[in-house]
Amino acid sequence: QVQLVESGGGLVQAGGSLRLSCAASGRPFSTGAMGWFRQAPGKERGFVAAINWSGDITPYADSVKGRFTISRDNAKNTLYLQMNSLKPEDTAAYYCAAGSSVVLLRRRVTNSWGQGTQVTVSS
C-alpha cells in the first residue's frame, strides 16, 4: 500500500556517480522491505539492491557490490541508491519497489513499483 516516486536519474560519464531517490508515502511499518531494480531495453527487470526496515539486511546484486550503496532516511520516508564508478553496462531504467520482505524482493515479488528513472552512462 505504498506509493513510490523516483528521481535522480540522468546522463553521466563512465566512472562518475549518481544518486537516485525514491520517496515513499504510506505507513512505513506496512512494508517489510524496499529495493531497487533495473531494466535495460530488451532485457528482463533485474534485482539491484534491497533493504529491510530494520536496516540490518542489505543484499546487493554481484554486479554492483562495492559500487552501489542502498540506504534510507526514515524521517523522510525516502530510499536512496548511491551509484559510484558507473559503467556503460549500468545503463537502464531504474525502479524503486516495495515488498513484504527482502527475500521476496530479490525474487521480484513486490507490492508496489515506482515509475522508473532513466540512468544513462556514456563511455
Side-chain angles (χ1 to χ4, degrees), residues 78-93:
T78 302
L79 179 74
Y80 301 99
L81 185 67
Q82 178 65 47
M83 304 183 293
N84 299 325
S85 301
L86 283 163
K87 306 174 181 179
E89 49 262 47
D90 294 319
T91 295

Side-chain angles (χ1 to χ4, degrees), residues 73-120:
D73 185 328
N74 292 329
K76 296 181 179 180
N77 288 329
T78 302
L79 179 74
Y80 301 99
L81 185 67
Q82 178 65 47
M83 304 183 293
N84 299 325
S85 301
L86 283 163
K87 306 174 181 179
E89 49 262 47
D90 294 319
T91 295
Y94 283 71
Y95 297 86
C96 176
S100 58
S101 71
V102 166
V103 171
L104 290 176
L105 273 179
R106 294 181 70 181
R107 292 182 173 272
R108 300 190 299 276
V109 179
T110 64
N111 296 327
S112 301
W113 288 101
Q115 81 285 359
T117 184
Q118 180 67 37
V119 172
T120 302

Side-chain angles (χ1 to χ4, degrees), residues 8 12-20 38 48-49 60-71 80-91 94 119 121:
V12 65
Q13 293 185 41
S17 299
L18 210 58
R19 183 178 173 88
L20 305 183
R38 64 186 182 185
V48 175
Y60 294 88
D62 288 341
S63 60
V64 306
K65 286 182 179 177
R67 299 189 298 119
F68 291 10
T69 302
I70 188 170
S71 62
Y80 301 99
L81 185 67
Q82 178 65 47
M83 304 183 293
N84 299 325
S85 301
L86 283 163
K87 306 174 181 179
E89 49 262 47
D90 294 319
T91 295
Y94 283 71
V119 172
V121 184

Side-chain angles (χ1 to χ4, degrees), residues 1-2 27-34 53 97-101 111-112:
Q1 301 186 59
V2 177
R27 296 177 175 82
F29 50 78
S30 68
T31 300
M34 296 181 68
W53 286 120
S100 58
S101 71
N111 296 327
S112 301

Side-chain angles (χ1 to χ4, degrees), residues 13-57:
Q13 293 185 41
S17 299
L18 210 58
R19 183 178 173 88
L20 305 183
S21 298
C22 173
S25 62
R27 296 177 175 82
F29 50 78
S30 68
T31 300
M34 296 181 68
W36 291 96
F37 295 76
R38 64 186 182 185
Q39 186 170 23
K43 303 294 184 180
E44 188 176 21
R45 191 172 300 183
F47 171 79
V48 175
I51 185 169
N52 67 338
W53 286 120
S54 62
D56 61 326
I57 303 175

